[in-house]
Amino acid sequence: MKKAEEMQIIKASEIARDTVEMVLRNRYISQHAAPGQFLHIHVEGHTLRRPISIADVNHEEETVTILFKIVGSGTRQLAANRPGMSINALGPNGNGFPVLAQPGKTVLLAGGGIGVPPLYYLGKTLKSNGVKLISILGFQSKVDIFYEKEFSQLGTTFIVTDDGSYGGKGFVTDVLDDTGLFELYYSCGPGPMLQAMTEKLKGKPGYISLEERMGCGVGTCLACVIPASNGDGYKKICKDGPVFHAGEVSL
Amino acid sequence: MKKAEEMQIIKASEIARDTVEMVLRNRYISQHAAPGQFLHIHVEGHTLRRPISIADVNHEEETVTILFKIVGSGTRQLAANRPGMSINALGPNGNGFPVLAQPGKTVLLAGGGIGVPPLYYLGKTLKSNGVKLISILGFQSKVDIFYEKEFSQLGTTFIVTDDGSYGGKGFVTDVLDDTGLFELYYSCGPGPMLQAMTEKLKGKPGYISLEERMGCGVGTCLACVIPASNGDGYKKICKDGPVFHAGEVSL
Amino acid sequence: MTNLSIQLPGLQLKNPIMPASGCFGFGREYSEFYDLGKLGAVMMKAATGDERFGNDTPRVAETASGMLNAIGLQNPGIKKILETEVPFLSDYGMPIIANVAGSTPEEYEKVAAAFNETDQVHALELNISCPNVKEGGVQFGTDPVMAAEVTEKVKRASNLPVYVKLSPNAGDIVGMAKAVENAGADGLSMINTITGMQIHLPSKRPLLANQTGGLSGPAIKPVAIRMIYEVKQAVNIPIIGMGGITNAEDVLEFLLAGASAVAVGTANFQNPFACPDIIDALPETLRKYGFHSVQEAVGKGIIS
Amino acid sequence: MTNLSIQLPGLQLKNPIMPASGCFGFGREYSEFYDLGKLGAVMMKAATGDERFGNDTPRVAETASGMLNAIGLQNPGIKKILETEVPFLSDYGMPIIANVAGSTPEEYEKVAAAFNETDQVHALELNISCPNVKEGGVQFGTDPVMAAEVTEKVKRASNLPVYVKLSPNAGDIVGMAKAVENAGADGLSMINTITGMQIHLPSKRPLLANQTGGLSGPAIKPVAIRMIYEVKQAVNIPIIGMGGITNAEDVLEFLLAGASAVAVGTANFQNPFACPDIIDALPETLRKYGFHSVQEAVGKGIIS
Ligand SMILES: Cc1cc2nc3c(=O)[nH]c(=O)nc-3n(C[C@H](O)[C@H](O)[C@H](O)COP(=O)(O)OP(=O)(O)OC[C@H]3O[C@@H](n4cnc5c(N)ncnc54)[C@H](O)[C@@H]3O)c2cc1C
Ligand SMILES: Cc1cc2nc3c(=O)[nH]c(=O)nc-3n(C[C@H](O)[C@H](O)[C@H](O)COP(=O)(O)OP(=O)(O)OC[C@H]3O[C@@H](n4cnc5c(N)ncnc54)[C@H](O)[C@@H]3O)c2cc1C
Ligand SMILES: Cc1cc2nc3c(=O)[nH]c(=O)nc-3n(C[C@H](O)[C@H](O)[C@H](O)COP(=O)(O)O)c2cc1C
Ligand SMILES: Cc1cc2nc3c(=O)[nH]c(=O)nc-3n(C[C@H](O)[C@H](O)[C@H](O)COP(=O)(O)O)c2cc1C
Ligand code: FES
Ligand code: FES
């Protein structure tokens, strides 16, 4: 049976502009989380829970790491929680990234802004499987950049910023021609970025992770749907996703 | 100009069943508070402020003490605040007890339950004016009793409990015949107690402090009215009161 | 022992708590959290004649102590619901209430009649109050003449007790209630959501793709209580109450106002265990306020 | 420089923020907190022909993100308001809007006419939507024919612009708005409170002495936004918006939905500085979302 888990906050720190890294301890979630899954977090004083991706997992410490940007009152309230306090989460929710287990293959990780976090745990897992990684990470500006070092340790990493204040100026897709060959891509980021990615990489196998406003977060309320590309109704992002094969849904 | 004051919590402790004593530091309020006035306290997550009487004042420390019972979600939330945190209050609000300045006179303080707190600062002030005090304090049960020692230091103090678990069994008014003579009385407590008091002591000068559900707490919304006994409309408890001459309002 | 059971037309409830329509799908997801057999009953997601895809996204928005939704009656259609969803739920043994929707009185009729084919559904909830579809929905729910017409048609078509779900958007809720009672309703369920809107400042347009949505959650509880209180005094059929219930004290408030049972909607999203938690807490809450049974509390708050 | 000013019939507002009727008395109490001259305008507490004592207590209850009130139009009567309250407020120099109430169309007429005697009041707000009095009040506000009749009478009796205050309890808010526009209203103010109730569990009866009360505060904001959005597209007179406003972002949401100015009610009780705080924050909020003036934002959220 599923449960709503209490997660103890072990660490909380601001690692980039308005961007908080939180380490949360919970046995069940840490032992079951797969790359690309998310937590559905209750925030004091708010009707709806907030979906936040799992950015890293430490099995021994029984912790999961989340990274989130303060964009509204829910994330602001979440950021106000201090180590020692607990938060209530449903999770791990949804279907994550299929983890390729073929050593020697090269894959691309392409993340935009707050879409970067789920790619980190994915990258770590892929690397431990012997997969070669190239990463492109896009941020608004220099002050928004996080996990550059962490991704660099996984493989070649390109950073781009909207305003050119660090790395290349432009979008994640602008770097696609410079990365060299890859067999598969994984991407997470804002809608327009995913549209551009899937457009430019049409025909190449890839997986994308989507965002939508959620109610239940578990597949019951039908808030978070996306049309299936075969025209046959909707997929639920919270339950069938958040990760989909690039050709499976119409963005 | 009036302000909404931030008050720093210096001390918070449970001194009887569900009854919290809080010491709050604020220069303006501590220097201006008179016995019987109240604070209108903002409680996180609640639309309306909560009116709580000023139970004591320390001019040198610039603190005021409040005593409140946890009866609902607002007082529960208020009780969750810890020393070091601040609460936002309007105050001192309302008109307090007229302080008799005639040494040698004897006055009765009669308080019921959570009506006891405002009588304490009144008693201290009267005593420092050389007034002789008799107190009757009524509580539900032994575990609810607070400030017995404090009142005893002001003068003869009778304790009664509804269930007889401590002191006399019965109501505050049951002790009225045993107190000996007094020239004036001050009373604060639940409506039925005040009705019984003013009935039994009809003709004797006295002041009573009233409670009513409040909106603004400053006299503007007309939520907290009580009919004037001369039939001429209403008085506002938050602004004209909470203290009234016993004959001034019809209970 | 506190007696939680209650008997309503077609429904022998072991307790008065059921998930509200649309906030529980067809039970599959929450069956992974707890044994659905614990519930007093289940109100299924709306059923329409054919499969419906609903509105574009975003479909939900958060508001102060509430939320807006504009799902738009997405559902797999009556046929599939009968084939796969009803049997799944039926295994848990609690009464099932089917929520019936449509664009025309004829569609309501057709859907209602389809439920005659199974003996696993115990009552119909006639959703004449969905604010999130272009046709039908709330317009039946704000016009007493149309509401009565749909009710009559469905009563004739169905062999199940019919609970008509009232819309708080109606100007005269008592008039609506009387109209559907006269048209043969066996019970009422109230309230559906109140039509509302949120404007998204960055994009300077309504946040929901459907523009408007239905407001639910604790924000609307005072409106639900008032309407149930007024309607209870005007009709002789039982009321299933809903609107912002999150705990057992809320349930008691609804019972006192005149509801005979209640449904829990939005609260499931914050706490997937909302229904079982409430069921567990209810006996103690009833006792605390002096009641020995649910039945005893129904309508006790009404001053006449 | 962000231009906060806005011109409405009878009202030259230096900013669009005013306290809502009944949440500010006649300004005396809040004048001890800040300079009332800072306000765009003031909406006075309701005025009736004679002094009114209002309802019994309790008169207020707290709800999730809102409150219920049933004050019942307590006010000193038109004569005293003209003699003592209007001159007091007038000293601060901002426009004054008088809130006119009554039990009969004739009382509305009489009160409205009385304000012709002063040049210190700049507009009338016709309160046909007070849910807390036995006669008049909300029944004028839910029946378009009666609403139009009162509006016409008051327009004839008064030489001031008349803003009719609409009730969200009306089933068809657009119909109401059109009816009073046709009857000559110069503007609308919306929304008044939604009728609600709370039952007090320990006493097992409605908490408010009046049983029902009006729901206000953030809980009702989505309903206010929806109604303003719908009405704005149907009428050609300006709207003063209200319902749950607590900060400058809320104000912008109301402007985008179609309000030309706004009133702040319940928020004053939590924060006596609600109005001046919002006025201070508004220029930055407008700038943040790309607006140079209040006027520019009015109705910009409407998709046509
Ligand atoms: C599967 C998934 C994974 C996510 N992972 C992350 C992550 O790892 N780090 C991170 O910073 N953000 C992540 N997001 C986005 C995050 O959920 C929103 O930023 C957050 O909900 C905003 O809440 P708020 O109260 O601060 O903002 P508000 O705008 O005040 O929120 C109002 C409502 O809108 C919803 N909402 C607003 N923006 C979004 C959005 N982009 N996606 C979904 N719902 C939204 C909120 O949940 C809430 O219900 C993820 C979203 C999804 C769907
Ligand atoms: C002038 C004045 C002085 C007071 N002094 C004290 C004091 O020193 N210590 C103390 O413990 N209590 C005092 N009270 C009572 C105190 O205000 C209430 O117990 C408190 O507001 C309850 O809040 P709640 O959220 O816990 O209860 P809830 O019942 O959840 O509150 C719901 C609403 O009802 C109001 N309310 C409930 N009970 C009362 C009440 N008895 N009086 C006024 N409003 C009420 C609340 O303020 C709130 O608006 C005083 C009341 C007044 C009017
Ligand atoms: C996401 C969502 C979907 C809903 N779908 C339906 C529905 O299909 N049929 C229906 O009659 N009511 C539907 N409702 C209304 C609820 O059943 C309920 O009447 C309303 O939400 C008030 O209860 P609450 O405040 O507990 O949520 C829906 C509500 C929500 C929040
Ligand atoms: C205590 C109180 C008293 C009110 N009195 C009046 C009144 O006299 N006349 C009137 O037109 N509206 C009155 N209202 C309604 C408000 O003016 C306003 O329309 C409503 O409260 C919604 O705004 P808010 O959510 O900002 O409070 C009153 C509201 C409250 C809370
Ligand atoms: S959020 Fe409810 S179905 Fe996805
Ligand atoms: S609480 Fe508003 S007048 Fe007293």
Side-chain angles (χ1 to χ4, degrees):
Chain A
M1 287 273 159
K2 285 195 182 173
K3 285 194 284 188
E5 299 283 335
E6 292 299 320
M7 306 187 80
Q8 209 204 348
I9 303 175
I10 303 299
K11 219 187 101 192
S13 48
E14 193 162 332
I15 58 164
R17 175 168 61 176
D18 293 339
T19 308
V20 177
E21 179 189 57
M22 251 186 201
V23 180
L24 307 167
R25 177 169 292 146
N26 177 278
R27 170 187 285 266
Y28 178 84
I29 294 179
S30 63
Q31 305 310 309
H32 290 80
Q37 288 188 302
F38 69 94
L39 301 178
H40 208 36
I41 302 178
H42 172 59
V43 185
E44 190 58 33
H46 291 74
T47 313
L48 299 177
R49 288 171 178 261
R50 300 298 191 262
I52 303 287
S53 301
I54 292 166
D56 199 7
V57 172
N58 185 324
H59 288 99
E60 293 71 48
E61 303 280 332
E62 301 185 347
T63 59
V64 308
T65 300
I66 57 172
L67 283 163
F68 61 90
K69 184 140 191 171
I70 300 174
V71 296
S73 76
T75 44
R76 188 171 310 115
Q77 175 72 36
L78 187 58
N81 289 306
R82 304 267 47 98
M85 297 168 80
S86 282
I87 56 176
N88 184 287
L90 306 180
N93 279 10
N95 289 311
F97 296 103
V99 176
L100 186 74
Q102 291 169 279
K105 296 262 178 183
T106 302
V107 316
L108 175 74
L109 306 177
I114 211 60
V116 169
L119 298 179
Y120 182 62
Y121 184 42
L122 171 67
K124 268 180 66 177
T125 312
L126 287 171
K127 185 165 184 199
S128 73
N129 286 356
V131 171
K132 264 194 72 190
L133 295 167
I134 306 162
S135 305
I136 315 176
L137 311 179
F139 298 94
Q140 251 181 283
S141 193
K142 187 178 171 185
V143 288
D144 299 301
I145 297 170
F146 57 87
Y147 273 32
E148 181 184 12
K149 207 182 79 223
E150 284 81 351
F151 275 89
S152 299
Q153 286 164 357
L154 302 178
T156 315
T157 298
F158 299 83
I159 305 275
V160 294
T161 51
D162 292 1
D163 61 2
S165 53
Y166 189 90
K169 177 174 157 67
F171 300 122
V172 167
T173 40
D174 296 339
V175 192
L176 283 177
D177 298 330
D178 311 333
T179 56
L181 292 179
F182 53 90
E183 278 111 9
L184 176 69
Y185 70 93
Y186 295 97
S187 188
C188 182
M193 171 188 143
L194 296 181
Q195 267 168 342
M197 283 290 293
T198 51
E199 189 56 40
K200 267 199 108 162
L201 299 177
K202 205 171 215 147
K204 202 177 262 294
Y207 291 92
I208 53 176
S209 178
L210 303 181
E211 288 187 4
E212 186 49 80
R213 288 175 190 252
M214 295 189 174
C216 66
V218 298
T220 192
C221 74
L222 308 177
C224 67
V225 297
I226 178 116
S229 50
N230 62 6
D232 187 17
Y234 286 110
K235 301 273 178 188
K236 299 177 202 172
I237 291 177
C238 69
K239 196 167 171 163
D240 305 323
V243 175
F244 294 94
H245 189 281
E248 197 180 351
V249 289
S250 51
L251 294 176
Chain B
M1 286 273 160
K2 284 194 183 175
K3 284 194 284 187
E5 299 283 335
E6 292 299 320
M7 307 187 80
Q8 209 205 346
I9 303 176
I10 303 300
K11 219 187 101 192
S13 48
E14 193 161 332
I15 59 165
R17 174 167 63 180
D18 292 339
T19 308
V20 176
E21 180 188 56
M22 250 185 203
V23 180
L24 307 167
R25 178 169 291 146
N26 178 279
R27 169 187 283 266
Y28 179 85
I29 294 179
S30 63
Q31 305 310 309
H32 290 83
Q37 288 187 302
F38 68 96
L39 302 178
H40 207 36
I41 301 178
H42 173 59
V43 185
E44 191 56 34
H46 290 74
T47 313
L48 298 176
R49 288 171 177 261
R50 300 297 191 263
I52 303 286
S53 300
I54 291 165
D56 199 7
V57 172
N58 185 323
H59 287 99
E60 291 72 45
E61 302 281 331
E62 301 185 347
T63 60
V64 308
T65 300
I66 57 172
L67 283 163
F68 62 91
K69 185 143 190 170
I70 300 174
V71 297
S73 76
T75 45
R76 187 170 313 112
Q77 175 72 34
L78 186 58
N81 288 307
R82 304 266 48 96
M85 298 168 80
S86 282
I87 57 176
N88 183 288
L90 305 180
N93 279 10
N95 289 312
F97 295 104
V99 176
L100 187 73
Q102 291 168 281
K105 294 262 177 184
T106 303
V107 316
L108 174 73
L109 306 178
I114 210 60
V116 169
L119 298 178
Y120 181 62
Y121 183 42
L122 171 68
K124 267 179 67 174
T125 311
L126 287 170
K127 187 167 183 198
S128 72
N129 286 356
V131 173
K132 263 193 72 192
L133 295 167
I134 307 162
S135 304
I136 316 176
L137 311 180
F139 298 93
Q140 249 181 287
S141 193
K142 188 177 170 185
V143 289
D144 299 302
I145 297 170
F146 58 85
Y147 273 33
E148 180 183 11
K149 206 182 81 222
E150 284 81 349
F151 275 90
S152 299
Q153 286 163 357
L154 301 179
T156 315
T157 299
F158 299 83
I159 306 274
V160 293
T161 51
D162 292 1
D163 62 2
S165 53
Y166 188 91
K169 178 174 156 68
F171 299 122
V172 168
T173 41
D174 296 339
V175 192
L176 282 178
D177 298 331
D178 311 332
T179 55
L181 293 181
F182 54 87
E183 277 110 10
L184 177 69
Y185 71 94
Y186 296 97
S187 189
C188 183
M193 172 189 141
L194 296 180
Q195 267 167 344
M197 283 291 294
T198 50
E199 188 56 39
K200 264 199 109 161
L201 298 178
K202 202 170 217 149
K204 201 178 264 294
Y207 292 92
I208 54 176
S209 178
L210 304 181
E211 286 186 6
E212 186 48 80
R213 285 172 194 255
M214 294 186 174
C216 65
V218 299
T220 192
C221 74
L222 306 177
C224 68
V225 298
I226 178 117
S229 50
N230 62 6
D232 187 17
Y234 287 110
K235 300 274 179 187
K236 299 178 205 172
I237 290 177
C238 69
K239 196 168 171 159
D240 305 324
V243 175
F244 294 96
H245 190 279
E248 199 179 350
V249 288
S250 52
L251 295 175
Chain C
M1 262 298 293
T2 312
N3 184 355
L4 297 187
S5 74
I6 195 119
Q7 319 307 327
L8 300 179
L11 304 169
Q12 312 280 320
L13 307 178
K14 63 182 171 299
N15 69 61
I17 311 299
M18 57 192 93
S21 181
C23 302
F24 207 73
F26 298 97
R28 290 186 191 270
E29 292 78 16
Y30 288 114
S31 77
E32 297 176 27
F33 286 91
Y34 59 89
D35 175 8
L36 301 188
K38 192 165 184 177
L39 298 168
V42 163
M43 294 176 135
M44 295 195 298
K45 174 73 190 164
T48 53
D50 295 315
E51 179 172 13
R52 286 225 199 180
F53 296 133
N55 297 318
D56 285 346
T57 57
R59 291 178 168 189
V60 294
E62 187 177 70
T63 70
S65 296
M67 66 176 283
L68 293 167
N69 90 80
I71 308 298
L73 296 184
Q74 180 179 340
N75 80 95
I78 176 68
K79 189 152 172 283
K80 208 148 166 205
I81 291 172
L82 278 169
E83 277 168 19
T84 65
E85 305 301 342
V86 170
F88 169 82
L89 270 175
S90 190
D91 282 351
Y92 290 94
M94 70 293 183
I96 298 173
I97 302 167
N99 187 274
V100 172
S103 306
T104 59
E106 292 66 36
E107 185 176 0
Y108 280 99
E109 233 178 329
K110 177 187 149 188
V111 176
F115 284 108
N116 292 337
E117 290 164 31
T118 174
D119 56 2
Q120 296 175 327
V121 166
H122 304 79
L124 302 184
E125 184 185 38
L126 200 59
N127 181 3
I128 56 165
S129 45
C130 180
N132 299 322
V133 287
K134 292 274 160 297
E135 286 164 9
V138 80
Q139 79 218 43
F140 294 118
T142 51
D143 177 344
V145 178
M146 287 175 81
E149 185 200 326
V150 178
T151 306
E152 261 170 38
K153 279 212 158 70
V154 165
K155 273 301 289 179
R156 267 201 302 272
S158 172
N159 53 25
L160 292 172
V162 174
Y163 293 77
V164 180
K165 186 158 184 178
L166 301 184
S167 169
N169 296 306
D172 173 13
I173 194 76
V174 170
M176 284 296 305
K178 284 184 174 164
V180 301
E181 180 185 37
N182 288 336
D186 301 281
L188 301 170
S189 86
M190 56 193 290
I191 58 175
N192 211 319
T193 54
I194 307 179
T195 306
M197 178 185 279
Q198 186 170 103
I199 295 186
H200 185 236
L201 301 188
S203 65
K204 303 180 184 63
R205 43 187 297 154
L207 189 146
L208 299 177
N210 187 52
Q211 302 194 18
T212 60
L215 183 63
S216 63
I220 69 169
K221 195 182 76 170
V223 179
I225 294 290
R226 184 263 295 183
M227 291 187 164
I228 291 168
Y229 188 92
E230 287 175 355
V231 165
K232 177 69 180 175
Q233 297 171 71
V235 301
N236 292 307
I237 48 178
I239 299 169
I240 301 176
M242 63 204 69
I245 293 174
T246 63
N247 58 42
E249 306 222 322
D250 293 337
V251 173
L252 180 54
E253 194 179 348
F254 274 79
L255 296 176
L256 293 173
S260 297
V262 299
V264 178
T266 304
N268 293 293
F269 305 155
Q270 192 175 89
N271 173 16
F273 300 94
C275 290
D277 284 356
I278 291 173
I279 293 167
D280 289 342
L282 194 55
E284 178 53 30
T285 301
L286 286 167
R287 262 199 301 278
K288 178 174 166 195
Y289 293 102
F291 294 104
H292 302 90
S293 71
V294 164
Q295 182 62 62
E296 221 185 329
V298 176
K300 272 291 171 343
I302 298 176
I303 307 174
S304 34
Chain D
M1 261 300 291
T2 312
N3 184 354
L4 298 187
S5 73
I6 195 117
Q7 319 307 329
L8 299 179
L11 304 169
Q12 312 281 321
L13 307 178
K14 62 181 168 302
N15 68 62
I17 311 299
M18 57 192 94
S21 181
C23 302
F24 207 74
F26 298 97
R28 290 186 191 271
E29 293 77 16
Y30 288 114
S31 76
E32 297 176 27
F33 285 90
Y34 59 88
D35 175 9
L36 303 188
K38 193 165 182 177
L39 298 167
V42 164
M43 294 177 134
M44 294 196 297
K45 173 75 189 164
T48 52
D50 295 315
E51 179 172 13
R52 287 226 197 178
F53 296 133
N55 296 319
D56 286 346
T57 57
R59 291 179 169 187
V60 293
E62 188 178 68
T63 70
S65 297
M67 65 176 284
L68 292 167
N69 91 79
I71 308 298
L73 295 183
Q74 179 179 340
N75 80 94
I78 176 69
K79 189 152 171 286
K80 209 149 164 203
I81 290 172
L82 278 169
E83 277 168 18
T84 65
E85 305 301 342
V86 171
F88 169 82
L89 271 176
S90 190
D91 282 350
Y92 290 94
M94 70 293 181
I96 298 173
I97 302 168
N99 186 274
V100 172
S103 307
T104 58
E106 292 66 36
E107 185 176 359
Y108 279 99
E109 232 179 328
K110 178 185 149 191
V111 176
F115 283 108
N116 291 338
E117 290 164 32
T118 174
D119 56 4
Q120 296 175 326
V121 166
H122 304 80
L124 302 184
E125 184 185 38
L126 200 59
N127 179 3
I128 55 166
S129 47
C130 180
N132 299 322
V133 289
K134 292 273 162 297
E135 286 164 8
V138 80
Q139 78 218 44
F140 294 118
T142 51
D143 177 343
V145 177
M146 287 175 81
E149 185 198 327
V150 178
T151 306
E152 261 170 36
K153 279 212 157 70
V154 165
K155 273 300 291 179
R156 266 203 300 273
S158 172
N159 52 26
L160 291 172
V162 174
Y163 293 77
V164 179
K165 186 159 184 177
L166 300 184
S167 168
N169 296 305
D172 173 13
I173 195 75
V174 169
M176 284 296 305
K178 283 183 175 164
V180 302
E181 180 184 37
N182 288 336
D186 301 280
L188 300 171
S189 85
M190 57 193 291
I191 60 175
N192 210 319
T193 54
I194 306 180
T195 307
M197 178 185 277
Q198 186 170 102
I199 295 187
H200 186 236
L201 301 188
S203 64
K204 304 179 184 62
R205 44 186 297 154
L207 190 147
L208 299 176
N210 187 53
Q211 301 194 18
T212 60
L215 183 64
S216 62
I220 69 168
K221 196 182 74 171
V223 180
I225 294 290
R226 184 264 295 183
M227 290 186 163
I228 291 168
Y229 188 92
E230 288 175 355
V231 165
K232 177 69 181 175
Q233 297 171 73
V235 301
N236 291 305
I237 49 179
I239 299 170
I240 301 176
M242 63 204 70
I245 293 173
T246 64
N247 59 42
E249 305 221 324
D250 293 337
V251 173
L252 179 54
E253 194 179 349
F254 274 78
L255 296 176
L256 293 173
S260 297
V262 299
V264 177
T266 304
N268 293 294
F269 305 156
Q270 192 175 90
N271 173 15
F273 299 94
C275 290
D277 284 356
I278 291 172
I279 293 167
D280 288 341
L282 194 55
E284 178 51 30
T285 302
L286 287 167
R287 259 198 304 276
K288 179 174 166 195
Y289 293 101
F291 294 104
H292 302 92
S293 71
V294 164
Q295 182 63 61
E296 221 185 328
V298 176
K300 271 293 170 339
I302 299 176
I303 307 173
S304 34

